[in-house]
Amino acid sequence: LSAGVCCCCAALRPRYKRLVDNIFPEDPKDGLVKADMEKLTFYAVSAPEKLDRIGAYLAERLTRDVVRHRYGYVLIAMEALDQLLMACHSQSIKPFVESFLHMVAKLLESGEPKLQVLGTNSFVKFANIEEDTPSYHRRYDFFVSQFSAMCHSCDHDPEIQTEIRIAGIRGIQGVVRKTVNDELRATIWEPQHMDKIVPSLLFNMQKIEDIDSRIGPPSSPAGGEKEENPAVLAENCFRELLGRATYGNMNNAVRPVFAHLDHHRLWDPNEFAVSCFKIIMYSIQAQYSHHVIQEILGHLDVRKRDSPRVRAGIIQVLLEAVAIAAKGSIGPTVLEVFNTLLKHLRISVDFELGDRRSSAGSATFSTSSKESDERIVQNAIIQTIGFFGSNLPDYQRSEIMMFIMGKVPVLGTTSQSLDTTHLGDLGTRRIQIMLLRSLLMVTSGYKATTITNALPLPFLDPLLSPSLMEDSELRQLVLEILHNLIDRHDNRAKLRGIRIIPDVSDLKIKRDKISRQDVSFMKKHGQQLYRHIYLGCKEEDNVQKNFELLFTSLALITIELANEEVVIDLIRLAIALQDIAIINEDNLPMFNRCGVMALVAAYLNFLSQMIAVPAFCQHVSKVIETRSLEASYFLPETIFKDKCNLPKSLEKHEKDLFFLTNKIAESLGGSGYSVERLSVPYVPQVTDEDRLSRRKSIVDTVSIQVDILPGNNTEDKVDNTEEITFEALKKAIDNNGLEEQEKEKRRLVIEKFQKAPFEEIAAQCETKANLLHDRLAQILELTIRPPPSPSGTMTITAGHAHYQSVPVYEMKFPDLCVY
């Protein structure tokens, strides 16, 4: 009777329960009853509204079997669930999924490795199913936490530990795939989830031993390798996560990386940190690269008080990141990168000098160690600036050159944007050297179409200012930067070293015809270049490298920018340099005097062969030959040797050892050169740069001579003269008084352009343009009458300037208004 009752009860049970019960065999070892499973699947497909009940009943049975440790039946239940999931894709599957996820959660909570792996495998299968409509109410917080915990498994059995970690990584990968495809559901990108997922992946990635394999864009691991190696699988999952990141959630995926590296102290050494950010930069979409760079810069600001090696490690990571980003889109962070790096450069110098001051009486070892660590930071910053700048497009590189140059502090001024006032002269010098080194790297390989693009006036003036400072290293850096910008045909390597070149044609120098833009540049700014070369030769602390760089500068100007007019100017400059050594008004050491003589010999030998005037070449060769016999210390091959016997004086030397202006004029005049200006000695103009650079004044008085050359008498002797202009007289009359007026005028103009309406500015500019046109017409009315006799001269004394031997002019200067 009882048996009959049981049969009746079984018959009264719902059909879906009977179908579910039938798939379980009496002995779990027999596995899933396939025939009954097909009936259950057909029933579920035919009546999808029953899926939620089927799922709930399966979950009930599975929960009971887990508690009773009947793991055989658990396996059968999960296999049935998997088959039902794969077979059913209707909207009614949503409630069934809830039951399925509940069962997976039970398996993951069990603590049994086999069940955790089983649950993970089922979840991964579910993650690969594309649902017809997303379920926005469903959350995966538990699974993120549980899978992340499995990634940190520390089971005593290494095999089980690896198995659980692999399951955890695959589970995270499943969560990512299931959630990131739905644009309206961004819960997985929330910080509380990323703070668990990313460190879990990085923890497993640390086990990779071959860090060198991350140098280039790493390839995806093979399928079999994923299953065996948690590190490779974690890296692959990390790449997939970053590849799916969008503009809004990129930062949430990157910030946990910094927390992990900080927590595990992986900035020093930083091999793993570099590897991580290479993976990041190669995995994300190129247009989001600037997000990562901004995060690195921000973290560098946060860790600015850390040890030098930690900061150096972060900067090295930044270098690797910008090296990859420079090949694509960097966005608006270009100036931000440089500004932040320059700020940290100043901070590093401040720390270095602070440590030096505070440990003046402490052990030398600790002080030198701190200084060397800060030097590591500084070198890393310079390397990053240089590498980043050298990989930018030309138009951006030009802006960066201007930006860095604007940061170089100038002694005696307080207008620079990089504050170095509290660093003192030593700290300011350190900043100057490091910024110029950075600029040298940025300009490396820069090829401008015209010299005006490479050396615009706002860049040329501040660049040449350090070349007047009493520091040989600063002057060397300025000259090397000039070489990078002037040398557009890669001839500098052929000119390396100062020497007498027997045959210049053997160098196979590349050059093009001088363009009109370059000719215009030399007319406007050539005197600036000559002036700085001239003054650079007069410095007492010059060493061999300074003379070598000065020679290269003259040679590059000759190759890239010299027409006939420039050639005459360069010869005048060379003769003036020779006069520096002979007359020695600046009391230079004998080595410097002989070095200048050797520089002039090497350059005129080069120039004479470049312009190929036989008579000029003959004169230069004869002087060099005489020097080699009688005064070899006037040649670079001798004077720059370690042991060279220097003469006691140069006053008694014969003229055969010197390059003579009249001989050069004769040789060039016969070849069609206009040599009248060769008789005019080169005298550099005095500017404010001498005061700003703390140099002694190069002249106490300025003599300006004006000569009238009668057009019908070409045999008269050409006096040593310089042109006199209205501007030159005006500056000489009251240079100091006008300086303050000009500063105030510039301030008022800037303030007006910042605050005044555009219409008012436009109207005023138009009015001033008309006034300027009228004033120029008045200037053209200037009348010059010849003196009553050729010898008639007068002396003009104005302010501190004394002008002698000025021919008598009757000049009319209208009352001009200076704009």
Side-chain angles (χ1 to χ4, degrees), residues 544 637-645:
Q544 178 179 351
E637 289 82 0
T638 302
I639 186 60
F640 296 123
K641 288 183 179 179
D642 293 336
K643 296 180 180 180
C644 175
N645 295 325

Side-chain angles (χ1 to χ4, degrees), residues 475-493:
R475 298 197 301 274
Q476 291 172 12
L477 289 170
V478 171
L479 290 175
E480 289 178 323
I481 293 169
L482 275 177
H483 297 169
N484 283 344
L485 297 173
I486 295 176
D487 183 21
R488 291 171 288 178
H489 296 86
D490 298 324
N491 292 311
R492 183 176 39 174

Side-chain angles (χ1 to χ4, degrees), residues 728-735 795-803:
L729 286 173
K730 181 174 69 65
K731 289 183 180 178
I733 289 172
D734 190 7
N735 192 31
T795 300
I796 300 175
T797 303
H800 298 287
H802 189 66
Y803 303 87

